[in-house]
Amino acid sequence: MIRFEAVSRRFGQGRPAVDRVTLEVPAGQIGVLLGESGSGKSTLLRMANRLVEPDAGRVLVAGRDIAGQPVEELRRGIGYVIQSVGLFPHWTVARNIATVPRLLGWEASRIAARVDALLRLVNLPPEEFRDRLPAELSGGQAQRIGLARALAADPPLLLMDEPFSALDPGTRRDLQAELRRIHAETGKTILFVTHDVEEALVLADRLAVLDHGRLLAEGVPRDLLADGAGPEIRRLFGESGLALHRLATRAAAALATPGDAASLPALPEGATQKDALLLMLEQGARAVAVAPDALLRWDDLVRAR
Amino acid sequence: MRRGLAPLFFNLSAFVAALAVAPYTAPLWRWLFPDLQRPLWDSRSWFALLAEHLALALGAALLAGLIGIGAGVLATRGAGQRLRPLFDALFALAQAVPPIAVIALALPLLGFGAAPTLLALVLYAVLPVLRAAIAGLEAVPPAVLDAARGTGMGRLRILAEVELPLALPVIGAGLRVALVLAIATTAVGAVAGAQCLGTPIVTGLANGNAAWVLQGAIFTAWLALIADRGLRWALAG
């Protein structure tokens, strides 16, 4: 869906912000760019809608080189969400969400219906929020509107630049879960930038780790965190926390054994091994239920590495 | 009703009433200036002078607004940023030259009347608009501009629908200053023969008639005060 081919970009003198990065996010997946500040992850993301132009290499969206495409048309076809949200402070929530549909010349009735549908999608009651101004929203609500604005014209691709980084931890976790749900409902391709290791592991179908403009590693999170991860990866994820992060990349069901689990604490569907470990610690249990007839034992969990 | 409207309305009514009553105050001025033959200004209606005064001031403020906002927009675009120190220095110099000097210099070129007065007023009033326009446009949050670009809005649309509306309160304050400066300064136009509330002052000076000077000065200063209060009220929202 989106493919970077050997793209580089240098600002002024010194080291390039992005250095010969080749990367692809397949259609319908969430690709996370993970890195510390200065790693070039935002610069790379901003090349996808030509807010930054590469010095070398090319970017393909849906198989087409974007360099030759009319820039405003390209951007209207790509959702864009940023950390500071950037809602237009003088417009109501509804008008903000309608930004791209208005640019595309949709009819008023179609826009109004779309606005309400999107407000429901991001879990804000339309009749309550439609006419509010951005100043009357909490940080979490504002970013929900930011997400709704990005989804307004139903673009197949979404660019999200640290969208939850400025939010409180609780709100951030809620929005991560909502994004997962919305992604499952809409099937969008998402390129997501973050410096938060846990957030990356919660969201990523594919994970790319950037450092000083270079691509350190790229792939399915489970493989990236497997034994034998390089020293940079170990440093980024934290030596001591690596084992826990690794558990977060594996499904609890993979270690389940048959047995009567009716009386055990139950994990939700799709839970990771990290969820299982935390539930055991929380409940003081030596096993948890993955399904009514399948359980995951402490011994299997700690032996699995 | 917003606060401050009642006193303003009262002030304005008193001003208009004073203009209307002025022609009937001859005894007062004879008593104050017993040595003058014609102590009461009666060469031209006060309302006609007021209308001409306001037309000049409004015209000048409008021109200053167009020039100031235009220059402000230019000075906040990519390449135009290099022009900003130039504009600022130029407009500051324009304001530093006393309007009376501008009129004197412009007289040979533009002749007598409204033209040199307008020029002097515009030069005098354009700096606050420029500075307000730059300040207002610069205060637009970068995140908002990033979002505007990222959603595929074009440059002109971003300027018209996002930047100028967000900068409007600040630009409005600059326009208010420009209008008040213009209203308060228009009186010098009388030197160039432009009809305004300053006309009795200049005519009085020329004829050694202190009473006319005083009458012109009272109405000129009063109007400047009303303009200031009125715009402050209008901008307070």
Side-chain angles (χ1 to χ4, degrees):
Chain A
M1 182 63 204
I2 177 153
R3 183 173 162 76
F4 300 91
E5 287 183 353
V7 290
S8 296
R9 174 65 202 241
R10 186 192 300 266
F11 296 106
Q13 296 299 308
R15 211 171 16 212
V18 171
D19 193 2
R20 287 162 293 167
V21 171
T22 296
L23 186 66
E24 180 165 9
V25 182
Q29 295 207 352
I30 301 182
V32 172
L33 301 176
L34 176 66
E36 296 175 334
S37 60
S39 63
K41 54 193 191 303
S42 285
T43 306
L44 188 63
L45 173 128
R46 290 162 68 84
M47 286 181 190
N49 62 358
R50 295 183 60 189
L51 286 169
V52 172
E53 301 278 0
D55 296 329
R58 55 179 199 156
V59 183
L60 296 103
V61 171
R64 290 173 61 207
D65 189 344
I66 62 172
Q69 296 178 28
V71 67
E72 279 148 26
E73 211 171 290
L74 173 80
R75 289 174 186 161
R76 289 171 197 177
I78 300 177
Y80 184 52
V81 187
I82 54 179
Q83 180 180 351
S84 34
V85 192
L87 293 182
F88 303 115
H90 56 311
W91 289 352
T92 62
V93 161
R95 176 92 196 265
N96 264 285
I97 295 176
T99 304
V100 178
R102 280 168 46 91
L103 290 172
L104 295 174
W106 289 18
E107 281 173 34
S109 58
R110 186 179 169 203
I111 291 178
R114 181 69 182 151
V115 165
D116 284 5
L118 284 161
L119 280 169
R120 280 190 289 272
L121 181 71
V122 297
N123 262 327
L124 297 174
E127 53 289 347
E128 193 182 328
F129 283 91
R130 214 186 275 134
D131 300 319
R132 286 204 197 174
L133 286 171
E136 301 164 323
L137 301 171
S138 72
Q141 289 166 348
Q143 196 53 288
R144 284 167 194 262
I145 302 301
L147 183 57
R149 178 175 65 183
L151 289 166
D154 208 16
L157 174 63
L158 224 53
L159 305 176
M160 306 186 74
D161 192 355
E162 303 233 19
F164 308 145
S165 297
L167 302 174
D168 296 330
T171 311
R172 191 185 313 159
R173 279 191 292 273
D174 289 347
L175 278 167
Q176 288 163 0
E178 298 248 335
L179 182 62
R180 263 278 166 212
R181 173 183 62 79
I182 289 168
H183 176 252
E185 284 175 26
T186 58
K188 302 292 179 198
T189 309
I190 299 176
L191 187 61
F192 190 105
V193 160
T194 185
H195 65 264
D196 180 336
V197 169
E198 285 183 44
E199 179 168 82
L201 294 177
V202 167
L203 294 173
D205 293 318
R206 294 192 74 84
L207 185 59
V209 181
L210 288 161
D211 184 48
H212 295 306
R214 288 173 305 118
L215 184 66
L216 275 187
E218 189 272 330
V220 178
R222 191 177 52 238
D223 298 342
L224 286 193
L225 292 192
D227 289 332
E232 292 104 335
I233 300 277
R234 302 183 75 90
R235 196 186 70 76
L236 183 66
F237 283 85
E239 291 283 351
S240 55
L242 192 63
L244 189 60
H245 291 313
R246 190 182 290 138
L247 289 182
T249 65
R250 298 172 178 171
L255 287 178
T257 47
D260 179 19
S263 60
L264 296 171
L267 280 172
E269 201 177 331
T272 66
Q273 294 177 12
K274 178 182 168 186
D275 298 329
L277 175 67
L278 294 175
L279 187 64
M280 288 177 193
L281 293 174
E282 178 70 25
Q283 302 276 332
R286 297 199 126 269
V288 291
V290 176
D293 57 352
L295 52 98
L296 170 54
R297 293 191 181 79
W298 171 268
D299 289 342
D300 294 331
L301 192 62
V302 288
R303 229 183 290 129
R305 69 169 240 116
Chain B
M1 189 183 289
R2 284 180 289 181
R3 230 161 46 102
L5 187 56
L8 178 68
F9 186 71
F10 177 79
N11 200 347
L12 193 61
S13 308
F15 178 69
V16 172
L19 286 179
V21 168
Y24 308 104
T25 53
L28 172 68
W29 298 104
R30 261 198 295 279
W31 176 68
L32 282 172
F33 297 90
D35 300 338
L36 292 176
Q37 248 185 353
R38 285 174 54 204
L40 181 70
W41 170 264
D42 54 3
S43 314
R44 194 170 165 83
S45 146
W46 284 107
F47 285 106
L49 289 178
L50 173 66
E52 282 153 339
H53 189 106
L54 289 179
L56 269 174
L58 273 174
L62 202 69
L63 283 171
L66 285 176
I67 296 169
I69 294 171
V73 166
L74 213 60
T76 50
R77 304 302 100 176
Q81 298 203 350
R82 274 174 303 165
L83 295 173
R84 185 182 309 180
L86 177 72
F87 283 158
D88 205 81
L90 211 62
F91 291 8
L93 180 72
Q95 192 181 40
V97 179
I100 188 88
V102 174
I103 289 177
L105 290 171
L107 273 180
L109 286 171
L110 298 175
F112 276 87
T117 311
L118 268 180
L119 177 69
L121 292 176
V122 168
L123 289 181
Y124 194 55
V126 75
L127 183 66
V129 184
L130 171 78
R131 291 203 170 144
I134 289 178
L137 290 169
E138 297 232 295
V140 176
V144 170
L145 293 178
D146 189 27
R149 273 193 292 273
T151 50
M153 294 172 82
R155 283 159 171 245
L156 276 180
R157 190 185 288 267
I158 293 175
L159 179 65
E161 292 190 13
V162 179
E163 292 183 89
L164 286 177
L166 288 177
L168 195 62
V170 183
I171 294 179
L175 285 174
R176 164 184 157 244
V177 174
L179 184 56
V180 170
L181 282 179
I183 289 177
T185 315
T186 299
V188 302
V191 175
Q195 295 293 318
C196 58
L197 288 178
T199 301
I201 303 179
V202 171
T203 315
L205 286 173
N207 295 303
N209 191 323
W212 291 357
V213 173
L214 187 57
Q215 289 158 42
I218 287 171
F219 287 127
T220 299
W222 197 345
L223 181 64
L225 280 175
I226 290 174
D228 183 61
R229 286 296 150 83
L231 284 159
R232 192 167 296 176
W233 169 80
L235 289 168

